[in-house]
């Protein structure tokens, strides 16, 4: 009996140890990701770096590919969709020039990783996902991890009128034009970012700034490749 007790105590210690070793491993993997892929490529914004250091990307990818979570690459998340590569998430977050307390609308929740990074930066995050299964799963995931993000299933082309206007809009799927309703739901002085171009091949990371008179200014920041925005964007 006593032996059995000692043995099971020993096993519990082993399990505890291996769990904590694993936890330390994720943290150092995130630090490595930042040092290897983000800082050298021009991510300098302290709030972005802090959020990327905190958010556990391995919780946003399927269990069997967790080991790859901190490589700088997109990964499959089911339903033919992908979680964007860490650099692109950091880059878009930095280009948006976010400030705490801002209201942000994301189109294309996917795994919820980008939304979690936004929430970790202290912005009020609203996110729309068109695929019902992904929307259902991501609501559970974000809640379990403690990220305050409002997720709604639906076609993000039309935005989220009840919560408009937004300080920032981020579209994380490729479109060949900027959805008009999303521009309309942007505050004067607001910014909208999206991969704009040929949805089958490649797009340009495009930032649109709306001035206080409602005039738009567009700048392009480099080639990217995203999964296409579906629904009304393709009509
Ligand atoms: N931001 C996500 C990755 C985006 S992948 C992440 O961090 O994981 C692009 C996502 O956009 C997919 O989940 C896709 O289903 C969704 N999507 C495509 N068209 C959409 C639309 N019209 N409205 C809302 N979501 C859309």
């Amino acid at each position: 009996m006593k032996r059995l007790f000692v043995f099971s105590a020993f096993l519990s210690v082993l399990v505890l140890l291996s769990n904590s070793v694993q936890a330390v491993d994720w943290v150092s993997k995130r630090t490595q990701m930042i040092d290897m892929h983000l800082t050298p490529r021009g991510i300098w914004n302290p709030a972005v770096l802090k959020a990327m250091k905190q958010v556990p990307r391995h919780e946003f990818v399927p269990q069997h590919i967790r080991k790859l979570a901190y490589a700088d690459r997109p990964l499959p998340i089911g339903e033919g969709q992908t979680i964007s590569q860490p650099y692109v998430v950091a880059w878009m977050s930095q280009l948006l020039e976010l400030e705490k307390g801002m209201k942000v609308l994301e189109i294309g929740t996917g795994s919820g990783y980008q939304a979690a990074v936004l929430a970790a930066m202290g912005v009020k995050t609203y996110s729309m996902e068109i695929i019902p299964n992904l929307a259902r799963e991501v609501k559970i995931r974000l809640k379990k991890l403690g990220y305050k993000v409002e997720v709604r299933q639906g076609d993000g082309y039309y935005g989220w009128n009840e919560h408009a206007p937004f300080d920032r809009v981020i579209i994380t799927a490729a479109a060949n034009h900027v959805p008009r309703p999303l521009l309309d739901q942007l505050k004067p002085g607001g910014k909208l970012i999206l991969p704009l171009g040929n949805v089958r091949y490649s797009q340009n990371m495009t930032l649109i700034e709306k001035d206080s008179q409602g005039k738009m200014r567009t700048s392009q920041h480099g080639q990217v490749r995203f999964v296409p925005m579906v629904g009304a964007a393709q009509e």
Side-chain angles (χ1 to χ4, degrees):
M1 193 63 195
K2 198 175 159 200
R3 265 205 197 153
L4 194 66
F5 174 76
V6 171
F7 182 65
S8 66
F10 176 64
L11 268 187
S12 314
V13 169
L14 266 187
V15 168
L16 272 177
L17 265 179
S18 72
N19 281 347
S20 65
V21 165
Q22 201 178 32
V24 169
D25 199 30
W26 293 128
V27 172
S28 59
K29 275 179 187 262
R30 280 202 288 283
T31 308
Q32 238 178 52
M33 167 188 87
I34 287 167
D35 294 345
M36 283 174 63
H37 306 302
L38 306 191
T39 325
R41 291 181 70 186
I43 306 300
W44 57 268
N45 183 311
V48 173
L49 291 170
K50 191 173 164 205
M52 301 285 295
K53 202 163 180 170
Q54 281 171 3
V55 180
R57 192 170 188 262
H58 62 280
E59 299 280 2
F60 293 82
V61 302
Q63 183 81 33
H64 68 283
I65 49 171
R66 275 188 160 193
K67 271 202 205 133
L68 301 173
Y70 298 101
D72 193 32
R73 50 181 275 194
L75 294 168
I77 55 168
E79 306 280 344
Q81 305 304 317
T82 52
I83 175 174
S84 308
Q85 74 187 89
Y87 169 70
V88 169
V89 171
W91 187 32
M92 290 178 95
S93 307
Q94 179 166 284
L95 281 168
L96 281 174
E97 298 185 312
L98 296 157
E99 284 163 32
K100 272 202 173 120
M102 279 182 167
K103 212 153 106 180
V104 180
L105 175 65
E106 180 195 27
I107 306 303
T109 325
S111 69
Y113 179 66
Q114 171 76 69
V117 168
L118 296 171
M121 290 178 71
V123 301
K124 284 190 215 134
T125 311
Y126 298 85
S127 188
M128 294 186 65
E129 170 55 53
I130 200 165
I131 299 179
N133 269 342
L134 290 180
R136 197 170 35 240
E137 283 169 19
V138 78
K139 281 183 193 171
I140 297 169
R141 179 176 306 122
L142 287 166
K143 197 164 176 204
K144 184 187 112 197
L145 295 171
Y147 291 103
K148 221 178 145 262
V149 176
E150 299 267 347
V151 178
R152 178 168 137 182
Q153 190 268 321
D155 189 342
Y157 190 90
Y158 301 105
W160 196 334
N161 226 343
E162 296 88 326
H163 292 289
F166 297 95
D167 296 288
R168 302 288 187 261
V169 175
I170 170 171
I171 307 177
T172 61
N176 62 12
H177 67 280
V178 187
R180 183 76 227 181
L182 295 176
L183 281 178
D184 292 342
Q185 291 178 23
L186 191 62
K187 278 186 194 171
K191 297 181 205 288
L192 177 152
I193 196 165
L194 85 161
L196 182 65
N198 185 318
V199 300
R200 292 251 211 110
Y201 302 106
S202 84
Q203 307 90 39
N204 212 309
M205 186 62 82
T206 305
L207 184 71
I208 296 168
E209 301 173 67
K210 191 189 228 183
D211 73 14
S212 51
Q213 269 82 51
K215 243 183 84 194
M216 309 288 177
R217 205 181 67 122
T218 300
S219 55
Q220 300 210 304
H221 297 266
Q223 290 303 119
V224 282
R225 202 166 172 190
F226 275 69
V227 293
M229 186 171 181
V230 297
Q234 292 189 328
E235 279 159 18

